[in-house]
């Protein structure tokens, strides 16, 4: 059974810092890994999708990397802004089940 | 392009009642996933429908059920509501299965009194 862990659980930083959020998974037989953000009480917004054959994806100030062999993904946020404050979740789609498994998320606060 | 739409936005029920939640996927998407997000907990997988069939279900009791219609919209039914069913219910859709982007709706907040 796939297990997904996100570290840290919470993070509070001043505006402008570069951030690294981590996601680890136990079964490396994955189809893809997707990063989302969730604002309080709202649905999830997709940020980046990395296919199992890819090493990284970039969108604006966001960069996500994938290392299947070590069961890890990293979301890098450059020059953080208060608008980046949200919970960030990673979801792993495992081979065979087609069910995305989510981590508990990292709650990020960027203060001015 | 319209996103994933869920209704109702909020729903208040009492213990023992039944709740029905609805989800319309993005046009062309055939797969619908349902997740439960209780306060302080992560997303727990409930049900997956694809091409009108239930493909998988999570570790939830049988009083959680649903279906997918020919137009790929879906509904989630929760019978004999319990207090711990209070949660945000999220629906997501994707084109087929496998390596495709999962797109979520805004969710339906169910409160059981």
């Amino acid at each position: 059974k796939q297990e997904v862990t996100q570290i840290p659980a919470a993070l509070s930083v001043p505006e402008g810092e570069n951030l690294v959020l981590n996601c680890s998974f136990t079964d490396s037989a994955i189809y893809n890994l997707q990063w989302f953000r969730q604002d309080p009480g709202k649905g999830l917004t997709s940020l980046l999708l990395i296919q199992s054959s890819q090493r990284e994806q970039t969108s604006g100030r966001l960069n996500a990397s994938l290392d299947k062999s070590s069961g890890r993904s990293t979301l890098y946020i450059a020059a953080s802004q208060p608008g980046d404050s949200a919970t960030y979740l990673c979801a792993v789609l495992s081979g065979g089940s087609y069910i995305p498994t989510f981590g508990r998320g990292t709650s990020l606060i960027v203060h001015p | 392009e319209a996103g994933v739409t869920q209704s109702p936005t909020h729903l208040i029920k009492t213990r023992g009642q039944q709740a029905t939640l609805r989800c319309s996927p993005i046009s062309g998407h055939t797969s619908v996933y349902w997740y439960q997000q209780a306060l302080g907990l992560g997303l727990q997988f409930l049900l997956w429908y694809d091409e009108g069939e239930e493909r998988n279900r999570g570790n939830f009791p049988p009083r959680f059920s649903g279906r997918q219609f020919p137009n790929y919209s879906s509904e989630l039914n929760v019978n004999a509501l319990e207090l711990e069913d209070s949660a945000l219910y999220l629906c997501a859709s994707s084109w087929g299965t496998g390596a495709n982007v999962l797109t979520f709706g805004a969710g339906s907040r169910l409160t059981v009194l």
Side-chain angles (χ1 to χ4, degrees):
Chain A
K1 178 188 170 187
Q2 181 72 268
E3 294 182 5
V4 180
T5 304
Q6 292 188 245
I7 295 173
L11 192 57
S12 180
V13 299
E15 181 177 6
E17 280 205 2
N18 299 323
L19 308 172
V20 175
L21 308 182
N22 297 292
C23 171
S24 61
F25 47 94
T26 55
D27 184 354
S28 61
I30 68 170
Y31 282 113
N32 63 43
L33 185 146
Q34 195 167 350
W35 282 94
F36 296 87
R37 70 172 279 168
Q38 184 178 29
D39 294 289
K42 303 296 177 75
L44 279 66
T45 300
S46 179
L47 298 173
L48 290 164
L49 172 73
I50 310 177
Q51 304 294 354
S52 62
S53 59
Q54 298 175 319
R55 296 284 294 184
E56 65 178 295
Q57 280 286 341
T58 298
S59 176
R61 294 183 294 108
L62 305 179
N63 175 275
S65 65
L66 174 64
D67 183 344
K68 276 199 318 178
S69 62
S70 65
R72 296 181 63 180
S73 176
T74 298
L75 179 67
Y76 177 82
I77 303 175
S80 58
Q81 303 170 357
D84 295 330
S85 297
T87 296
Y88 291 80
L89 299 111
C90 67
V92 175
L93 186 66
S94 301
S97 76
Y98 294 110
I99 305 300
T101 302
F102 283 81
R104 294 286 296 270
T106 294
S107 176
L108 172 65
I109 297 175
V110 181
H111 47 88
Chain B
E1 173 185 87
V4 178
T5 57
Q6 292 188 243
S7 63
T9 304
H10 294 91
L11 188 60
I12 300 175
K13 295 284 187 178
T14 57
R15 285 179 59 191
Q17 286 188 314
Q18 184 215 24
T20 297
L21 308 177
R22 297 178 177 83
C23 173
S24 293
I26 289 175
S27 178
H29 284 192
T30 60
S31 266
V32 171
Y33 297 84
W34 286 96
Y35 285 85
Q36 181 196 65
Q37 188 178 36
L39 192 63
L41 299 180
L43 272 76
Q44 302 295 315
F45 166 69
L46 272 164
L47 291 159
W48 170 37
Y49 293 96
D50 183 57
E51 297 282 0
E53 300 287 332
E54 181 180 304
R55 302 296 184 182
N56 209 327
R57 66 177 292 129
N59 188 26
F60 280 84
R63 57 191 186 82
F64 286 84
S65 65
R67 54 179 169 166
Q68 187 177 35
F69 299 98
N71 66 353
Y72 303 118
S73 67
S74 176
E75 68 179 26
L76 173 68
N77 296 295
V78 188
N79 294 318
L81 286 165
E82 300 180 1
L83 296 179
E84 53 264 34
D85 296 334
S86 295
L88 182 66
Y89 289 83
L90 293 163
C91 167
S93 73
S94 70
W95 183 82
T97 57
N100 300 299
V101 173
L102 199 63
T103 304
F104 278 83
S108 292
R109 170 74 62 187
L110 172 63
T111 301
V112 182
L113 302 176

